[in-house]
Amino acid sequence: MADGTLIEAQGLTVRRRSHVLLDEISFSLEARQVVALLGPNGAGKSTLLKTLAGLLPFSGELRLDGREASRLDRAERARLLAYVPQHSALDAALPARDVVAHGRFAHRDAWGRPGRGDDAAIDHAMELTDTRRLADRSFCRLSYGERRLVLLARALATEARVLLLDEPTAALDVAHALGLLHRLRDLASRGSLVIVALHQLNEAAQTSDRALLLAGGQLVAAGSAAEVISAEPVRRVYGVEIVPAAQFGYRRPAEKATAP
Amino acid sequence: MKIALTYLVLLVVLVGAVALALLVGHGSLADPTLRSTLLGLRATRVGAALLAGAALATGGAVVQGVFRDPLVSPSILGTTAGASLGGQLAMLALISHTPLFGPALSAEMVLPLGCLLGAGLSLVIVLGFCRERTGSLTLILTGFILSSLFLALSSFITSLAQDSWDMSRAVVSFTLGGVGGVSTRQLLAALPFVGIGIAACWLWSDTLDLLLSGEDEASSLGVEVGRARRWAVTWVAVLAAAAIAVGGNVGFVGLIVPHTLRPLVGVRHRRLIPACALLGGAFLVACDIIARVFPSRSELPLGVITGIIGAPVFLILLARSQREVSHG
């Protein structure tokens, strides 16, 4: 395993009854990267993220930070990988700060007492996601976009080195989506490995260093984002042509515009 | 500040209910020859109502958290009916001198153990049938079917018990619910079950909070979900068993009390559980006062009063949740 490799999968296979959801997938991913998981609906993106998060049984070999995944207990895994699902099941009237504080659960001692660095980690996560203003508001009364940010803050509060995000920009407006992707890049530059399932290829091209392209549970292409999000793989998997220029694009202030 | 004030009010309500329960009832405290006997009898039933109410309300808060459904409670899920059936079987075994539990157990311990087995069995069946994504309706229907099954078996036991007048009276009185005939030894036998059950649930508060996010998210945050659910179910069974052992089949306490308190203390179990213990105890003591002072030839069963209050509350909550679903 190369120095800095956080995830290494060999022949990763996930089955549900007779269906093969992931078929013999192999890849390795290093820190300081944003990795886009791409593919049409049903390709296996969410399944792969859930498998990495330890939520689905699998066969094959999976090493996390150099250790066999099956040898990590729940808390160890939660301190290494943070997972943000596409649709959270949480709909309780908990203050947003309490939701973010759930990210510190795996840092508790044997007696269940909170860790010393909990408050600082929670504050930092809320600062990064611009959710401090929501701290006292009830989670169930937040808008969809605000909930996504609070759940991202919860994931950041874990201080895990690997972030697994399932379509984080879905249903976000342009400004929030760009802001969130900008934060993901920032997190990668600070040393994290960010694995993000995306539907929008332009978002993936702008944000990611590497990309894994899935189709029908198989890994069709893996490599740099520029290689994977190119004419031939995209045509093969999605059946569409990439249009290199468009009439307009989006950018955050002080950034160069990039056509979608 | 609001939370502290709420706890203070709950404490005042509890003390007020206990004081009133000691003062009112048949017989005059002015008679010095009867005073200590009356106070002793009333204190025992007040203690039983406190324990049963605290246990059922806490159990309600915990199952609502575990199933992520505000419409469930030990009585809705069939847990109290299961505990009641277990209690009846234990009582039957005890009265008919069947050596089911062995000579090592005292009579006071046999009833709670029977209730514990019944409550545990019903919760295991519910957990087996209803996984995480089970909707409210399935949960409620499963609970209803279990309750119906347990009630049918209870009726069967009651009909068997009619051979003996003593046995049938004891079984019917236990089934209807009430704290009138509780002895001090029974109370002392149930006390550790309730105390340890509430303390254990409180210690699992943070885990219960995380389960509000569903199994996948809780698991990804470091919760051993299977273990957490098993422990939660165990403690709910312990609480329901202790409550039924001293209060008989009393329903709806676990539904009404947590619902009343969530707007006041929030959904965090660390705050909700102690508040439920306080208000649950006060609520059942108040119901017992009504049972005692209601003008009727004999004392009203406690389960009848909680049922009359609880059933409409449940229907209102059900209608509200259906409205929320239909309005998205």
Side-chain angles (χ1 to χ4, degrees):
Chain A
M1 184 180 282
D3 192 31
T5 300
L6 284 175
I7 298 179
E8 188 169 32
Q10 284 293 328
L12 198 64
T13 302
V14 176
R15 290 188 175 86
R16 184 179 291 159
R17 297 189 188 96
S18 58
H19 297 286
V20 179
L21 303 179
L22 287 180
D23 190 8
E24 301 266 341
I25 287 180
S26 301
F27 59 86
S28 74
L29 302 170
E30 294 174 13
R32 297 183 177 278
Q33 288 184 335
V34 175
V35 179
L37 272 187
L38 304 171
N41 294 330
K45 303 186 292 294
S46 298
T47 304
L48 179 54
L49 288 178
K50 282 187 174 184
T51 308
L52 294 176
L55 303 176
L56 293 175
F58 64 89
S59 58
E61 194 181 328
L62 179 62
R63 297 183 75 80
L64 303 172
D65 200 18
R67 293 175 66 189
E68 194 67 47
S70 58
R71 292 186 185 278
L72 297 171
D73 67 27
R74 267 280 144 229
E76 285 176 318
R77 201 157 179 152
R79 289 194 293 268
L80 179 64
L81 298 105
Y83 167 66
V84 183
Q86 185 183 357
H87 302 290
S88 173
L90 182 61
D91 194 29
L94 282 167
R97 195 175 200 283
D98 287 359
V99 175
V100 179
H102 287 175
R104 301 300 296 170
F105 184 80
H107 291 266
R108 296 180 169 226
D109 65 14
W111 297 96
R113 288 176 301 198
R116 277 188 185 169
D118 281 8
D119 282 339
I122 294 163
D123 288 340
H124 185 57
M126 297 189 84
E127 193 74 53
L128 281 175
T129 49
D130 190 25
T131 49
R132 275 194 150 178
R133 63 201 159 83
L134 308 173
D136 296 324
R137 285 182 56 193
S138 175
F139 183 81
C140 66
R141 304 221 175 271
L142 299 177
S143 71
Y144 183 80
E146 288 170 334
R147 288 186 187 204
R148 304 286 312 175
L149 290 174
V150 170
L151 293 174
L152 178 63
R154 183 179 72 178
L156 295 180
T158 64
E159 294 182 318
R161 293 172 67 196
V162 182
L163 274 178
L164 308 168
L165 308 170
D166 198 352
E167 299 190 27
T169 56
L172 287 188
D173 63 52
V174 174
H176 275 107
L178 283 178
L180 191 137
L181 293 172
H182 178 76
R183 285 185 189 105
L184 298 185
R185 275 244 53 90
D186 188 42
L187 288 166
S189 69
R190 292 164 191 248
S192 298
L193 165 61
V194 181
I195 305 175
V196 53
L198 290 169
H199 265 305
Q200 301 300 327
L201 297 181
N202 57 322
E203 286 180 349
Q206 287 173 36
T207 312
S208 55
D209 305 292
R210 298 193 64 203
L212 302 178
L213 183 58
L214 297 164
Q218 294 186 323
L219 187 58
V220 177
S224 72
E227 286 167 3
V228 175
I229 309 169
S230 59
E232 198 279 323
V234 169
R235 187 186 308 118
R236 186 149 51 99
V237 170
Y238 291 95
V240 298
E241 297 290 339
I242 290 181
V243 182
Q247 288 181 326
F248 64 91
Y250 309 110
R251 68 182 169 93
R252 283 161 55 82
E255 284 182 311
K256 287 183 180 174
T258 310
Chain B
M1 189 62 194
K2 183 191 162 194
I3 304 287
L5 188 66
T6 306
Y7 278 120
L8 189 65
V9 170
L10 289 175
L11 211 56
V12 169
V13 168
L14 181 69
V15 171
V18 168
L20 194 63
L22 290 173
L23 293 174
V24 301
H26 298 295
S28 169
L29 290 177
D31 186 344
T33 55
L34 288 175
R35 189 182 299 149
S36 65
T37 310
L38 281 175
L39 280 176
L41 286 171
R42 287 177 192 171
T44 310
R45 67 186 296 161
V46 166
L50 276 177
L51 286 187
L56 288 171
T58 303
V62 173
V63 286
Q64 285 163 20
V66 169
F67 287 102
R68 299 196 308 116
D69 194 322
L71 289 173
V72 298
S73 72
S75 55
I76 302 289
L77 291 176
T79 319
T80 48
S84 180
L85 175 65
Q88 281 181 345
L89 284 170
M91 193 181 281
L92 211 62
L94 199 68
I95 294 174
S96 60
H97 304 291
T98 306
L100 262 182
F101 297 93
L105 289 172
S106 66
E108 284 74 22
M109 289 304 290
V110 169
L111 188 62
L113 278 180
C115 292
L116 183 62
L117 289 175
L121 176 71
S122 70
L123 277 166
V124 166
I125 294 172
V126 172
L127 268 182
F129 273 95
C130 306
R131 300 306 302 166
E132 189 200 9
R133 288 171 186 83
T134 302
S136 286
L137 200 60
T138 311
L139 263 179
I140 292 165
L141 280 175
T142 308
F144 171 74
I145 289 163
L146 269 184
S147 289
S148 304
L149 173 68
F150 292 145
L151 285 174
L153 292 171
S154 290
S155 302
F156 177 62
I157 288 168
T158 309
S159 68
L160 284 182
Q162 277 172 352
D163 289 345
S164 151
W165 189 84
D166 279 348
M167 206 184 283
S168 69
R169 191 171 174 274
V171 168
V172 169
S173 162
F174 175 73
T175 308
L176 289 173
V179 288
V182 177
S183 68
T184 312
R185 289 179 66 182
Q186 263 180 291
L187 199 62
L188 291 175
L191 184 64
F193 283 88
V194 178
I196 293 170
I198 292 174
C201 290
W202 187 78
L203 288 172
W204 280 82
S205 291
D206 291 344
T207 306
L208 290 169
D209 285 351
L210 265 86
L211 285 177
L212 293 173
S213 292
E215 284 188 11
D216 278 358
E217 287 172 68
S219 184
S220 75
L221 290 164
V223 176
E224 297 280 4
V225 173
R227 184 167 156 254
R229 281 168 77 103
R230 279 194 299 276
W231 273 112
V233 161
T234 302
W235 294 122
V236 171
V238 166
L239 288 170
I244 302 306
V246 293
N249 197 356
V250 181
F252 293 108
V253 181
L255 184 79
I256 301 168
V257 175
H259 268 285
T260 309
L261 288 168
R262 278 198 190 89
L264 300 170
V265 299
V267 299
R268 286 186 65 186
H269 289 87
R270 198 164 284 275
R271 288 174 178 168
L272 185 61
I273 285 173
C276 280
L278 290 173
L279 188 62
F283 175 70
L284 217 53
V285 169
C287 287
D288 185 46
I289 294 172
I290 297 172
R292 278 191 278 156
V293 301
F294 195 82
S296 66
R297 267 178 50 194
S298 60
E299 190 174 298
L300 277 184
L302 197 52
V304 171
I305 295 168
T306 58
I308 288 170
I309 299 170
V313 172
F314 174 74
L315 288 174
I316 291 166
L317 292 170
L318 184 64
R320 194 191 292 167
S321 80
Q322 294 297 319
R323 263 204 310 277
E324 281 170 7
V325 168
S326 62
H327 291 176

